[in-house]
């Protein structure tokens, strides 16, 4: 059942997941690639494409309606101001590295768009960043799966448990971030 679902929808689910956020789904896909359900090269290509497209969309929305977007969510507005301060000091470094800073994945491209950062430059540096991100995180997850295979005699028996644990951890981090951002300062 898992294999049939992944063959039919695995890469599409990975693209959609990385378009919107991505870390958890990329880790799960890297693990599944280590188990032979997905191809690690296609996982990294799909994740880089999804992350790139999502960030491009947020960047262009930031250029057009960035202040309105940030104003809708008070915690985004505060994060957006922090992001703009970082961008003013080290613009290229932040464009290359924002996706590695947990909690800034959506806000940062909006802030970059607001800042007036050149579109072509963002297009190129965002592509490079998405590729690096997908390779680093995808490879790490792939090797996590390989390491678990060494630790567990019959990993096939534990696959669903490992996938569930990865998803629960990812959802827990997402929930913790949401809760933390909603608390009054």
């Amino acid at each position: 059942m898992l294999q049939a679902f992944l063959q039919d929808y695995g890469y599409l689910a990975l693209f959609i997941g990385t378009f919107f956020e991505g870390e958890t789904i990329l880790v799960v896909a890297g693990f599944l690639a280590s188990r032979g359900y997905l191809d690690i090269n296609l996982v990294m290509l799909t994740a880089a494409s999804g992350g790139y497209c999502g960030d491009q969309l947020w960047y262009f929305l930031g250029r057009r309606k960035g202040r309105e977007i940030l104003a809708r969510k008070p915690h985004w507005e505060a994060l957006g101001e922090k992001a703009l301060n970082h961008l003013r000091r080290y613009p290229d470094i932040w464009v290359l590295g924002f996706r590695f800073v947990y909690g800034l994945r959506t806000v940062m491209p909006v802030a970059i768009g607001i800042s007036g950062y050149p579109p072509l430059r963002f297009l190129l540096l965002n592509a490079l960043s998405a590729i690096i991100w997908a390779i680093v995180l995808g490879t790490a997850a792939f090797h996590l799966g390989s390491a678990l295979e060494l630790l567990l005699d019959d990993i096939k028996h534990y696959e669903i448990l490992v996938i569930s644990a990865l998803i629960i951890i990812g959802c827990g981090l997402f929930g913790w971030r949401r809760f933390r951002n909603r608390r009054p300062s």
Side-chain angles (χ1 to χ4, degrees):
M1 183 172 103
L2 177 64
Q3 189 166 4
F5 174 81
L6 292 172
Q7 285 175 341
D8 292 342
Y9 304 107
Y11 297 107
L12 176 62
L14 177 59
F15 181 86
I16 292 168
T18 54
F19 183 93
F20 289 106
E21 194 68 32
E23 289 78 11
T24 301
I25 195 158
L26 178 51
V27 169
V28 170
F31 171 76
L32 291 169
S34 76
R35 302 296 310 131
Y37 292 109
L38 300 171
D39 177 88
I40 189 61
N41 294 316
L42 288 176
V43 163
M44 291 185 290
L45 178 65
T46 304
S49 300
Y52 173 79
C53 290
D55 294 336
Q56 286 300 129
L57 174 66
W58 282 114
Y59 168 79
F60 283 110
L61 287 173
R63 286 183 65 86
R64 300 272 189 263
K65 297 183 180 270
R67 292 285 175 195
E68 291 174 40
I69 292 169
L70 293 182
R72 287 183 194 157
K73 297 186 176 189
H75 68 276
W76 275 28
E77 195 166 30
L79 285 173
E81 289 306 318
K82 278 186 184 178
L84 285 168
N85 289 334
H86 292 308
L87 275 168
R88 288 181 191 107
R89 292 186 6 212
Y90 307 105
D92 292 341
I93 299 293
W94 275 99
V95 170
L96 284 170
F98 74 85
R99 72 183 68 243
F100 293 96
V101 180
Y102 189 74
L104 291 181
R105 172 81 191 282
T106 305
V107 174
M108 198 65 177
V110 173
I112 294 167
I114 291 170
S115 75
Y117 195 85
L120 182 58
R121 190 174 193 95
F122 183 76
L123 190 87
L124 297 173
L125 290 180
N126 186 38
L128 179 61
S129 177
I131 291 166
I132 293 168
W133 172 78
I135 290 171
V136 168
L137 199 55
T139 301
F142 183 85
H143 289 300
L144 169 70
S146 299
L148 286 174
E149 190 168 9
L150 292 174
L151 290 173
L152 304 170
D153 289 335
D154 183 16
I155 194 167
K156 187 96 173 142
H157 183 72
Y158 298 102
E159 284 177 347
I160 297 299
L161 183 63
V162 171
I163 293 166
S164 299
L166 291 172
I167 291 170
I168 289 168
I169 290 168
C171 290
L173 288 171
F174 178 79
W176 173 74
R177 187 181 76 205
R178 298 281 258 174
F179 174 75
R180 185 190 70 199
N181 289 335
R182 289 185 191 270
R183 286 189 316 205
S185 300

